[in-house]
Amino acid sequence: MYAVIDGAVPPAGTVRVSGAKNAATRLLAAALLTDENVQLSNFPTRLVDVGHKIGFSRRTGAEITIDDEAETVTVSASSLTSPVLSRDEFDVPIRTTYLLAASQLVRTGIARIPYPGGCPIGGGSAGARGYDLHIMVWEQLGAAVTQREDHIEIIAPRGLRGGTINFPITTVGGTENALLCASVARGQTQIFNAYITPEVHDLIALLRRMGADVTVHGTSHIVVNGHAATLSGAHMAVMPDRIEALTWIVYAILSGGNLTIEGVPFGSMEVPLIHLEQAGVDLFRNSTAVHVTPDCLTSGSVQPFELACGAHPGVISDMQAFYVLVGLVGAGTSRIYDYRYPERIAFVSELAKLVDGPHLEAERGKITTHGPARFRPGLADSTDLRGSMAVVLAALCSDGRSVITNVQMALRGYNDLAGKLTSLGSRISLFDEAPAAGSLRDLLVTDGR
């Protein structure tokens, strides 16, 4: 899939932040832990990752109803099983397939799930994000794990049993997997060195509504008294997406737009917004929305800054690319470090294709910007979800036509992206079929330009 973007049209109007991708896909997995109905509102129904997870869940017997207009998903998983699927049916290009194991194990004592996919944001075939910690979770809860040619098989004939899980590093996915499995296990599970992000809090909130006994101690210790069976039905709204909220704020800053962003989860992004404030961005805000105009730049431009990406409540790695964009329009040199995923720099070479001049430097764990830079139209590729969105924003801010290939990467994390951009006056068209060889650059030519 590729996008054709005609830039230099500042966004104007109002945009609402959708439910968080990193919460919604986890809540969907939790909804499979009951034979009763679960309804999730404020759900980002148009996300590519959501479609893949729903598709696989349906293949395993779950009934899932989607209402795009109301942005709700209703899940009934009473018929869910653990079928042996074909290689193609196990080929699911999302990272969080491991979260689907608990719902199969609690019913049949065996789970067959796809290998984790997702964005290759680091080194190695798995992008420096293996699944060894998930195997550890299953084994610590009494399961035997076999890595088949096209899927992972987890067996616990008598069901999962409580245990002690002590993560050697902080891991969001591992924490989520442990929570799901422990909630339906027999006995008590202690989870140490858990990574409790806002999205994990959202998952815990739903599990509690479904009858799970989950207690959080401090910032990294969770105790779960397992239900030893499926849970109960529930209804809950998905939390707003903090990364999407930041994306719209940054787009307005870069473009000089006049944009109101509704549904901003201020409580989960205090530190990221402080960094913008310290860079000279004075946001107009109330309790749930932010209004961004050129007047938000108190000195007329973004001031240079340094920040380090790491764990919540700080600037998380998924936000790195957007601070790189802010640094590019700053009045001097800015440095953005990433201690959690130091190899997350592949997008820089693609972003540089849409920047006029040598304003970007990247090395392991560090990206340096030399501003102020001007964005220019061009042809760029997508490397990962957030890197893809960064090049899309750069194209939207350039004076001319750009083509972004593999733009489906961005669609994995932004609900109805093209529709929202179009409603703000931005000019973007998405195309499913790849153009003929050698014709991509021909698309850069526009009539009258």
Side-chain angles (χ1 to χ4, degrees), residues 87 116 144 153 167 170 183 223 257-258 262 277 282 358 422:
R87 178 185 294 273
E153 186 176 85
F167 289 114
T170 55
S183 293
V223 178
N258 193 316
E262 295 182 338
E277 179 183 346
D282 184 15
T422 300

Side-chain angles (χ1 to χ4, degrees), residues 38 72 161 243 268 291 320 322 345 367 422 428:
V38 174
T72 62
R161 64 173 186 269
I243 305 171
S268 65
H291 186 58
Q320 176 207 54
F322 306 111
I345 56 176
I367 299 171
T422 300
I428 179 171

Side-chain angles (χ1 to χ4, degrees), residues 6-8 374-377 394-401 427 449:
D6 292 304
R374 185 176 67 88
F375 297 108
R376 66 181 181 187
L396 288 166
C397 294
S398 65
D399 187 10
R401 173 167 289 183
R427 296 176 294 185
R449 301 191 83 124

Side-chain angles (χ1 to χ4, degrees), residues 21 49 93-96 116-129 318 341 344 383-388 408-410 412-413:
K21 164 193 177 281
D49 275 17
I94 58 174
R95 171 70 188 163
T96 58
C119 294
I121 61 175
S125 60
R129 299 192 297 176
D318 275 351
Y341 294 110
R344 195 172 195 164
T383 57
D384 63 273
L385 193 164
R386 307 304 170 185
S388 177
Q408 69 272 8
M409 288 280 193
R412 290 183 52 211

